[in-house]
Amino acid sequence: MSNENKTIHDFELNLICDFFSNMERQGPGSPEVTLKALGFTDNLNDKSLIADIGCGTGGQTMVLAQNVPGKIIGLDFLPNFIEIFNRNARQLGLQDRVKGIVGSMDNLPFQNEELDMIWSEGAIYNIGFERGLNEWRKYLKTGGYIAISESSWFTDERPAEINKFWMDAYPEIDTIPHQIAKICKAGYLPVATFILPENCWTEHYFALKIAAQEIFLNKYAGNETAEEFSALQSVEEELYRKYKEFYGYVFFIAKKIRQ
């Protein structure tokens, strides 16, 4: 398999984890966008319980915690991310309300209708957009919110090069109207949908990768697989800059409207 046909899923988890543990966010986003999405919800109080699923090291979780009441549980299947997450919570004095746990998004450790809100930035693709919407819904109280950012097509047709890249990486990527239809079908009321601005990719993701790449390549000097993985990160950036009018991340905020 040549490097150009590889996707992130072809690499060992410890390499992926090592690379992204040096970044505040593990995907496109920003504190401003997290707060914008939060602004479409209105149901939280001191007794609320929020789950951030696929939380990574918790960049967005800490922003949430500083702006909402209640408790937040961050869940990720990579122990190293959760270790960093809990360290960040302690450093910000949030450890009484914010806790990271190791777990799998296809087997959540919550009771039915226990959660007031489910948050997930750039992570639902690990289980699949439609499957996540359907399986996570039972954990939400009626009237509770789900807020997720997901890679999406902006057009019905797109150039072959970028289409192939995404079909290899994540075949379930879809257009915004189709994704909203899936939200409705799963028993939610769509509340808001907005495209993440370009700076979520450039300033808050690609720019931060430069330092992470340097640390990573120093640690794995001479390791061909690590060098391939690092090169793939640069390919992702090149493709985004070339084809950004065809795709991006979209925030979907929706409300559970019935049991």
Side-chain angles (χ1 to χ4, degrees), residues 3-253:
N3 189 38
E4 67 185 40
N5 292 328
K6 281 195 174 183
T7 73
I8 192 168
H9 308 294
D10 295 310
F11 292 91
E12 291 171 29
L13 276 178
N14 66 317
L15 278 183
I16 297 168
C17 187
D18 245 9
F19 185 97
F20 285 102
S21 62
N22 292 309
M23 293 177 65
E24 186 180 340
R25 285 173 175 265
Q26 285 69 52
S30 72
E32 293 77 18
V33 157
T34 295
L35 291 177
K36 180 176 178 177
L38 183 63
F40 291 104
T41 68
D42 60 6
N43 63 330
L44 301 173
N45 58 48
D46 291 345
K47 294 185 173 59
S48 296
L49 181 61
I50 300 162
D52 185 355
I53 301 173
C55 61
T57 59
Q60 69 292 331
T61 327
M62 305 305 151
V63 174
L64 276 179
Q66 289 169 317
N67 289 277
V68 296
K71 292 197 169 181
I72 305 179
I73 294 174
L75 179 138
D76 202 283
F77 76 111
L78 292 170
N80 193 32
F81 282 176
I82 293 300
E83 199 178 307
I84 296 166
F85 179 106
N86 285 321
R87 187 171 72 222
N88 290 340
R90 284 193 302 273
Q91 286 172 349
L92 292 167
L94 296 167
Q95 67 275 15
D96 294 340
R97 294 197 300 119
V98 181
K99 184 185 179 189
I101 59 171
V102 177
S104 172
M105 60 173 64
D106 59 9
N107 184 22
L108 297 180
F110 304 112
Q111 302 300 310
N112 285 0
E113 301 201 27
E114 184 181 6
L115 300 174
D116 295 274
M117 185 156 72
I118 290 174
W119 202 271
S120 185
E121 291 197 31
I124 196 170
Y125 78 90
N126 286 293
I127 192 173
F129 186 74
E130 199 163 9
R131 184 183 167 198
L133 286 170
N134 283 292
E135 291 188 10
W136 298 350
R137 187 179 176 279
K138 66 184 178 190
Y139 303 108
L140 264 185
K141 293 173 184 171
T142 301
Y145 286 86
I146 186 163
I148 43 185
S149 65
E150 167 77 329
S151 48
S152 309
W153 292 126
F154 296 161
T155 58
D156 289 331
E157 295 179 11
R158 70 286 313 184
E161 184 182 23
I162 194 61
N163 195 69
K164 183 180 188 313
F165 173 82
W166 276 103
M167 287 301 106
D168 290 344
Y170 182 45
E172 205 185 325
I173 185 173
D174 211 338
T175 60
I176 297 169
H178 287 166
Q179 288 169 318
I180 292 171
K182 289 170 192 172
I183 288 168
C184 296
K185 189 181 171 191
Y188 302 91
L189 175 69
V191 173
T193 302
F194 65 90
I195 293 167
L196 274 63
E198 200 178 315
N199 74 342
C200 289
W201 292 80
T202 53
E203 289 171 43
H204 296 278
Y205 186 49
F206 295 141
L208 302 181
K209 270 191 180 179
I210 296 166
Q213 230 161 353
E214 201 174 315
I215 295 165
F216 181 79
L217 290 173
N218 282 339
K219 180 174 179 178
Y220 290 101
N223 181 321
E224 197 177 315
T225 308
E227 285 166 6
E228 269 188 44
F229 179 75
S230 182
L232 183 67
Q233 304 311 307
S234 302
V235 170
E236 183 189 24
E237 182 173 356
E238 283 164 30
L239 287 172
Y240 177 74
R241 294 186 187 279
K242 192 172 173 185
Y243 295 116
K244 61 193 173 190
E245 69 267 35
F246 295 99
Y247 72 98
Y249 267 81
V250 176
F251 233 117
F252 299 94
I253 301 96

